[in-house]
Amino acid sequence: LMMLSFSISRDYLPDPSKLMRPFFELISKGAGKLISHSWKGEFDPSSDSINLYLNTLANFILALIICSFWMVLDKQKNKGKLFYWMTTTARYYLAFQLLIFGFNKLFKWQFYFPEPNILFTQVAELDKEMIYWTAMGYSRAYSVFTGSLELLAALLLLFRRTSFAGALLAIAVMTNVVAINFCFDISVKLFSMFLLLLSFISLSPNFNRIKSVLSGKSYGKVETQFPAFNFKLHILIKTILILLLFGEAIQPYISSGNYNDDESYKPPLYGAWKVITFVKNGDTIPPLLTETERWRKVFFNRSGYFIYQNMEDEMYDNDMDFNESKKQIDLISTDSTLSFFSYREHADSLFLDGYFRNDSVNIVLKEIDLNYLPANSHKLNSFHWTIDSYYDNFK
């Protein structure tokens, strides 16, 4: 039930959660109505919404009811086979999720390099989640390391003979992920706990083996009953399924050609710019801290945001439409004010002429070379075996 609650929307595999979504919305809203008659929460399986927690509770109760009836009717005759299919399904689902997250880290799509405006935001003004995301985005080596562990766990889980090692590694990996999500308040706590639960379920056929090691007694029998398959058909189906899982997980990177997000294409004007001259309605505003309407810096975000920082270091963002052929930037405003700029570049300077919230502005910007920031500098980012060599960089 929980596997069907989370979307696996990809290119090749079907996504049964789309068919099941009306059902899960119904039971989560029903659970919410039992708590409060005015409940109007929305079902959002992509993050830790209240409705997702309600859906999980409803799934747990529904599973108890179904399993109770099944035990009475089946008299546990098919317990071994059901246990096999449950653990096998858990293994493949977990492996698929680890493939997705593993490739995401390997090619640095999950923890991408911090946006220019984040680089100039004081640490105290960032929330815990953004601090973690920013730190991870700086180090491609660590991102590759963590992604490789997830990919290794996924690969080991896909084969029964190595599933024991894969489940142990998955437990270690997912325990760390759950701890990060809780400690940095990242809003996928429930999903990460669910994947940790699947890691233990994947390990469960080997509980007797673990028990024998811990107790020093002889290894007991595995409870799983493997169904009798035609060997060639089994190999064919398994091969197709594994290829599908790998194909689904790696397809976005192949189609985009982006195997290192740090080196991916950035839109024109991307980066950080220092405001040299700021003219508003014909008056040049000096760079004084008391001039709150003057801008200190401008940032062009790769996600389509125009961000400016005032003299008090407060940042404000606007959606923008960027027209490179017309050399024009249109800011999308929530009110009726007019905000647009024509721009021209010269050397490392950028000239913006237009209107901002109905006021005419003429702004001269100078590009800030992000490579010379302390966090980005080659010397500070180089590897040091000794503390002596680290301090030598400052001489």
Side-chain angles (χ1 to χ4, degrees), residues 29-88:
K29 287 181 180 179
K33 291 288 186 182
L34 290 175
I35 298 172
S36 172
H37 292 294
S38 60
W39 180 256
K40 294 181 180 179
E42 295 184 3
F43 177 66
D44 180 13
S46 63
S47 59
D48 294 326
S49 64
I50 296 176
N51 264 31
L52 182 58
Y53 281 98
L54 291 172
N55 176 72
T56 303
L57 175 62
N59 280 344
F60 179 72
I61 295 172
L62 183 59
L64 282 179
I65 295 171
I66 294 173
C67 290
S68 298
F69 275 105
W70 187 274
M71 289 173 66
V72 171
L73 296 174
D74 187 63
K75 306 295 184 184
Q76 296 194 0
K77 293 179 182 178
N78 295 296
K79 179 183 176 183
K81 291 180 180 178
L82 289 172
F83 183 64
Y84 167 80
W85 285 114
M86 180 187 73
T87 54
T88 301

Side-chain angles (χ1 to χ4, degrees), residues 326-352:
K326 293 183 178 180
K327 300 290 185 179
Q328 184 167 316
I329 300 168
D330 293 306
L331 302 187
I332 302 172
S333 177
T334 55
D335 51 31
S336 58
T337 58
L338 186 67
S339 299
F340 71 89
F341 311 106
S342 60
Y343 71 90
R344 56 190 174 88
E345 297 176 85
H346 178 71
D348 60 350
S349 295
L350 179 68
F351 299 84
L352 301 180

Side-chain angles (χ1 to χ4, degrees), residues 286-304:
L288 302 176
L289 295 179
T290 54
E291 299 289 352
T292 56
E293 294 186 357
R294 191 189 190 277
W295 298 355
R296 183 191 294 271
K297 295 184 183 73
V298 169
F299 307 98
F300 291 93
N301 190 295
R302 72 176 186 173
S303 300

